[in-house]
Amino acid sequence: MKLGFNLLLWTPHVTLAHEPILRALKKTGYDGVEIPMFEGTPDHYARLGALLEKIGLERTVVSVIQGKNPISPDKASQAAALDYAKWTVDCSAALGAPILGGPMHSELGFFSGNPATAAERKRALSFHKKAGDYAGKKGVTFALEALNRFECYFLNTMQQLAEYLDEVNHPHIQGMYDTFHSNIEEKDPVGAIKTIAKHMVHVHISENDRGTPGKGHVPWPETYKALKKSKYDGFLTIEAFGRSMPALAAATRVWRDFAPSPEEVYKLGYRNMKQGWAKA
């Protein structure tokens, strides 16, 4: 098991100028960082990857799809979503990140007004077969994230995600567990870990209010125990949101700060994970 921290708390676009933050996370004890990916070029991420290698931080990536939709009936929107997915894969490979997480299955914040349809599922399957094949050639694996019903309608629960991944049946299209979304959508958030376990390649550690892990009501001891029991051995990555990217903040309904300072989040959050895992 490794401990990571998502840089979205500070910025939607990590550059070499964020080196002091990266070094502070390394000093705290983190094994890696999660890089938000919404803009930039493979060359940019290659330079960032070289810096992270120098500091001694492994990396994963998180991204979302906005302004295009792979499950849309519009073929231009489908094509744009696939192009975007390929771009994220190219940049992730340049960064040296083997895991590309996030809701890379539908447009964040878009709602049709109805539940997901069979036609939308068919389009998603086609999208992921193509994206998965492309990712496989680059050594990258998608970790699809089910989001709560207020952010998307395509995949909301671990049961839905697991069944969808069974149907995709692609080695480079896997899934992740997120404590924030699960504590909204699941009747048994801890039990849902067993549901997604066979596809689980990444975990987001996020308090029920998106603030400091350990200062809300997520059942952390039980969560860590269930993850350990599932034989999970990847990253536990803290995802705490700020308002660094207005469009993303709006889509994820982030209207206020959830912690007094970033330092509290990454220092107390690290302690929560380190001690919680040891006790599990």
Side-chain angles (χ1 to χ4, degrees):
M1 184 275 301
K2 300 173 184 177
L3 304 182
F5 200 95
N6 189 313
L7 271 289
L8 264 176
L9 186 60
W10 291 276
T11 179
H13 184 54
V14 183
T15 70
L16 302 184
H18 293 102
E19 183 174 350
I21 294 171
L22 297 169
R23 290 193 177 278
L25 292 172
K26 176 65 178 178
K27 185 177 180 181
T28 299
Y30 285 95
D31 302 293
V33 290
E34 188 149 276
I35 301 299
M37 191 170 283
F38 306 109
E39 60 178 289
T41 64
D43 285 346
H44 166 79
Y45 289 105
R47 290 190 294 272
L48 181 60
L51 172 63
L52 291 168
E53 194 69 30
K54 180 180 176 182
I55 294 172
L57 287 168
E58 295 183 44
R59 43 271 188 206
T60 60
V61 164
V62 67
S63 191
V64 303
I65 303 173
Q66 289 186 292
K68 53 196 80 70
N69 197 344
I71 66 173
S72 168
D74 180 68
K75 291 192 179 299
S77 187
Q78 294 172 32
L82 183 57
D83 286 344
Y84 179 78
K86 289 180 177 179
W87 167 81
T88 59
V89 168
D90 288 342
C91 292
S92 296
L95 179 68
I99 297 293
L100 170 51
M104 298 290 286
H105 47 71
S106 55
E107 183 176 5
L108 179 68
F110 171 80
F111 295 91
S112 67
N114 295 296
T117 66
E120 288 173 326
R121 191 180 187 89
K122 185 177 179 180
R123 289 190 284 268
L125 289 167
S126 175
F127 167 73
H128 283 126
K129 294 285 188 182
K130 295 170 185 173
D133 286 348
Y134 190 85
K137 294 174 184 176
K138 302 278 186 170
V140 174
T141 296
F142 284 92
L144 301 188
E145 182 176 15
L147 303 187
N148 70 78
R149 77 195 82 166
F150 307 108
E151 295 179 30
C152 89
Y153 69 95
F154 186 66
L155 295 171
N156 300 127
T157 69
M158 291 300 99
Q159 186 67 43
Q160 290 175 330
L161 179 59
E163 290 175 354
Y164 179 75
L165 291 170
D166 284 343
E167 195 170 355
V168 175
N169 190 29
H170 196 293
H172 290 274
I173 304 293
Q174 299 298 328
M176 62 181 290
Y177 177 80
D178 182 293
T179 58
F180 171 78
H181 297 296
S182 293
N183 276 273
I184 294 175
E185 292 298 329
E186 305 292 346
K187 295 186 184 301
D188 180 4
V190 174
I193 291 170
K194 185 177 180 180
T195 302
I196 195 62
K198 67 177 178 178
H199 293 294
M200 185 169 57
V201 297
H202 197 49
V203 171
H204 271 171
I205 298 298
S206 189
E207 194 51 88
N208 66 284
D209 66 347
R210 291 290 200 191
T212 307
K215 286 202 162 185
H217 60 64
V218 171
W220 294 113
E222 296 83 355
T223 297
Y224 292 131
K225 190 174 292 186
L227 286 168
K228 215 166 193 178
K229 188 176 181 181
S230 76
K231 309 289 190 204
Y232 179 72
D233 196 34
F235 264 99
L236 301 180
T237 295
I238 292 178
E239 184 184 49
F241 281 177
R243 290 190 48 78
S244 62
M245 185 179 177
L248 183 63
T252 54
R253 310 301 187 255
V254 176
W255 311 123
R256 67 185 189 279
D257 292 326
F258 301 124
S261 70
E263 288 75 19
E264 179 192 279
V265 180
Y266 73 75
K267 288 181 179 178
L268 295 189
Y270 177 83
R271 188 187 310 166
N272 173 284
M273 293 190 296
K274 189 78 170 178
Q275 294 180 354
W277 191 261
K279 291 177 182 178

